[in-house]
Amino acid sequence: MAKAGVGLLGIGNIGKEVFAYLKSSNNAQVTRVARRRINAPAPAAIKKLVTRRAETVIADPSVDIVVELTGDGKRGAQYMLDAIDQGQHVVTANKEAIAVRWRDIMSLARKRGVSVGFEATVGGGMPVVRAMQRHNAADDIQSFAGILNGTCNFILGRMKEYVVRHMDDPNIQKRSLPLEDALAEAQKLGYAEPDPTMDINGFDTKFKVAILANLAFDSYFDPNDIYCEGIWDQNQRILASDFYFLHHQRYLGGKYALKLVGVAERTGRRPTLRVHPALIETDGPLADLAAVEGSFNGLTVEGRRLGTQFIKGLGAGPKPTTISVASDIHEIAAAVLSSRGTGCHAGPPVPAARRAGSPGNVDRVQTRGFIRSVSPDVKGVYAKKLDILARHKVNVQSVVNVKEFVYGRDRYMPDYIEIDPAPDGAVREVLKAFRRLRGVRDPMYFRILEL
Ligand SMILES: NC(=O)c1ccc[n+]([C@@H]2O[C@H](COP(=O)([O-])OP(=O)(O)OC[C@H]3O[C@@H](n4cnc5c(N)ncnc54)[C@H](OP(=O)(O)O)[C@@H]3O)[C@@H](O)[C@H]2O)c1
């Protein structure tokens, strides 16, 4: 039986797995491969197809489907545009390229009548892209919230495990796992990239939120317009004491799970889009999401007619990602084969590029939660913090010192201020003012996730 020709751009973690998978495919076969280091050791079956130039693969007449797996946001997008322009179908796992160049890629693909498969850009092996596309076709999506980065979820999970395991140790501060050690462990186990910046600063989740929001709200959102905080970026980082405060019976006793979330909410005319660490009630309406552990991903979608749906699955890694890449390849290959000779291709639908949409202003969203900061044991520092909160009209419910985490000669100690619902922008102004206070370190806002 004839097979559709696949040109692989990139033969790294994912490319290798896709190559192996397609060996047993009954409707697609790899006919060309591009990589930068053509002399790198590789099986003979790959070596005989390899070239250094992606352009050579795109121009090869044996290639019906270009599968872009380079991981290069800018070049990868250009290769896809070149392939589409020549009438080739494309499949990719490159979330940055799809999120940033959505409009160009989708409008050119519609113009040229070719398919774009990007299931692997969000949620690894979870079929969330098609689910969102199909759901939106028949319902009005009101909101979604997802744990979309397995690396961050793994790191947060390891930090929590350590603290919970040593909870009653009087030396808990020394026994807990700092963020950098949890990250090193994730890298050793292959869950985190050698350069994990995009994961921990939230950008990876931001690209995925942009893609899901484009599908859910029929607009194109620029990822740069999405509000984004990570678990570790220039302004803030998660501390081991956060897990002690969240999980020790003396404090919050496990009421909330701490996760990095991507959230979209249709509140006013325009949906608000945001990425940040959040507290999810373990016994509340989002309990399924709170229970997503390790390198898993989870997504809750709220439709006006259908109500709540929840999808959970393996969010990263070569095998799950390959399943999504291969499902796109198979679907497109079937359409290529059935249209051969007829000239009329009926592949999976390409989403409309739509008009650019700007997300709603996150400053005005009412949020509540806990403000953490670390202060020396000197007189007057709490009064100053409370004064700042009052000036920004942010009401305080309670203040808790986590005494088990005292350190240094000045007896630095984290405290957690619980606040009533307030405009998110006002709370962020409070944090900025805390950062200017002498001796006060690490202010961070833990919002309670409510949809
Ligand atoms: N790894 C995961 O778990 C995962 C999960 C979901 C999505 N993804 C996405 O999947 C994509 C691939 O990731 P990966 O982990 O497989 O990356 P990777 O291991 O770094 O492999 C990248 C491959 O692309 C080749 N390459 C890079 N730039 C190129 C260029 N300009 N022209 C030709 N070849 C080029 C590299 O060549 P050399 O071999 O010569 O270096 C390598 O073979 C990325 O978009 C990533 O975000 C990955």
Side-chain angles (χ1 to χ4, degrees):
M1 182 192 164
K3 294 184 183 182
V6 169
L8 274 187
L9 306 183
I11 189 94
N13 295 314
I14 311 298
K16 269 186 210 136
E17 196 70 31
V18 170
F19 187 89
Y21 187 100
L22 289 182
K23 275 195 207 153
S24 55
S25 161
N26 59 12
N27 71 357
Q29 69 178 17
V30 179
T31 56
R32 285 316 298 262
V33 174
R35 75 182 307 175
R36 286 168 305 193
R37 299 166 300 131
I38 47 167
N39 296 322
I46 294 177
K47 282 233 161 195
K48 70 173 191 223
L49 304 177
V50 102
T51 163
R52 189 179 282 127
R53 290 173 51 78
E55 293 79 0
T56 307
V57 172
I58 296 167
D60 195 302
S62 72
V63 172
D64 300 294
I65 307 167
V66 170
V67 178
E68 190 283 317
L69 299 168
T70 65
D72 184 325
K74 287 203 177 75
R75 285 207 189 97
Q78 195 52 54
Y79 296 149
M80 285 192 264
L81 287 165
D82 292 346
I84 293 168
D85 206 27
Q86 292 202 29
Q88 280 155 328
H89 308 282
V90 297
V91 171
T92 187
N94 192 333
K95 57 228 120 181
E96 182 179 356
I98 289 290
V100 173
R101 302 294 300 274
W102 175 277
R103 235 179 152 179
D104 304 325
I105 291 173
M106 300 309 166
S107 58
L108 190 61
R110 286 171 82 91
K111 216 154 113 194
R112 295 277 181 269
V114 299
S115 297
V116 182
F118 55 102
E119 185 60 71
T121 57
V122 188
M126 285 156 58
V128 288
V129 165
R130 286 309 289 278
M132 196 64 105
Q133 231 169 337
R134 290 177 68 88
H135 188 165
N136 181 35
D139 197 359
D140 297 323
I141 292 173
Q142 300 300 302
S143 62
F144 65 81
I147 294 169
L148 301 170
N149 184 280
T151 306
C152 289
N153 212 41
F154 174 84
I155 291 171
L156 296 176
R158 289 300 284 154
M159 289 177 79
K160 179 195 107 179
E161 262 172 51
Y162 256 70
V163 165
V164 169
R165 195 177 320 141
H166 300 293
M167 200 74 104
D168 297 317
D169 189 323
N171 272 325
I172 178 69
Q173 197 189 336
K174 292 197 187 98
R175 307 277 289 168
S176 39
L177 187 72
L179 182 52
E180 40 279 65
D181 292 2
L183 172 60
E185 199 177 316
Q187 284 170 318
K188 212 165 124 198
L189 291 169
Y191 291 128
E193 307 276 335
D195 178 3
T197 315
M198 291 280 208
D199 293 319
I200 60 176
N201 71 6
F203 276 44
D204 174 88
T205 303
K206 182 171 80 165
F207 294 136
K208 292 167 177 172
V209 167
I211 293 169
L212 292 179
N214 293 349
L215 295 170
F217 304 119
D218 276 337
S219 293
Y220 156 67
F221 295 97
D222 183 338
N224 290 319
D225 292 340
I226 297 177
Y227 180 78
C228 183
E229 290 175 21
I231 63 168
W232 186 1
D233 54 39
Q234 76 235 41
N235 280 326
Q236 62 186 26
R237 53 149 55 204
I238 305 285
L239 302 176
S241 62
D242 300 335
F243 295 98
Y244 195 83
F245 172 65
L246 289 171
H247 294 281
H248 200 287
Q249 287 306 331
R250 201 176 297 139
Y251 302 113
L252 296 184
K255 186 175 179 198
Y256 301 105
L258 173 57
K259 306 285 180 188
L260 181 73
V261 292
V263 184
E265 261 182 297
R266 211 196 274 272
T267 38
R269 222 164 32 84
R270 294 176 295 152
T272 53
L273 307 177
R274 53 199 167 101
V275 174
H276 52 72
L279 305 181
I280 311 177
E281 215 178 323
T282 49
D283 214 5
L286 296 170
D288 286 335
L289 199 59
V292 173
E293 296 286 0
S295 58
F296 277 86
N297 279 196
L299 181 73
T300 294
V301 184
E302 177 84 28
R304 192 159 64 85
R305 297 178 185 84
L306 184 64
T308 306
Q309 273 191 91
F310 175 71
I311 310 178
K312 177 185 159 186
L314 280 169
K319 285 209 159 39
T321 307
T322 293
I323 294 297
S324 289
V325 171
S327 71
D328 280 341
I329 294 174
H330 280 152
E331 200 175 354
I332 296 172
V336 166
L337 295 177
S338 69
S339 67
R340 263 194 191 153
T342 69
C344 121
H345 168 80
V350 176
R354 303 286 178 201
R355 270 179 302 135
S358 55
N361 190 346
V362 173
D363 288 0
R364 293 200 209 110
V365 176
Q366 294 275 320
T367 54
R368 68 183 178 99
F370 297 85
I371 298 175
R372 173 257 281 152
S373 55
V374 180
S375 328
D377 188 14
V378 291
K379 242 179 149 179
V381 68
Y382 286 115
K384 282 186 191 148
K385 289 186 191 175
L386 294 177
D387 182 50
I388 289 169
L389 284 151
R391 266 193 281 129
H392 289 89
K393 300 190 173 58
V394 176
N395 283 336
V396 172
Q397 277 200 9
S398 61
V399 184
V400 171
N401 288 310
V402 175
K403 299 184 206 68
E404 294 81 355
F405 278 76
V406 174
Y407 68 92
R409 227 166 11 125
D410 289 332
R411 297 185 54 75
Y412 274 90
M413 195 192 309
D415 64 69
Y416 294 80
I417 302 175
E418 184 172 9
I419 58 162
D420 284 337
D424 201 82
V427 183
R428 277 183 275 125
E429 287 302 317
V430 166
L431 261 75
K432 270 194 214 158
F434 275 22
R435 280 190 194 105
R436 289 195 291 267
L437 285 179
R438 222 167 128 213
V440 174
R441 295 176 186 172
D442 291 321
M444 182 159 177
Y445 182 29
F446 294 97
R447 299 160 180 87
I448 295 170
L449 183 65
E450 285 160 332
L451 291 178

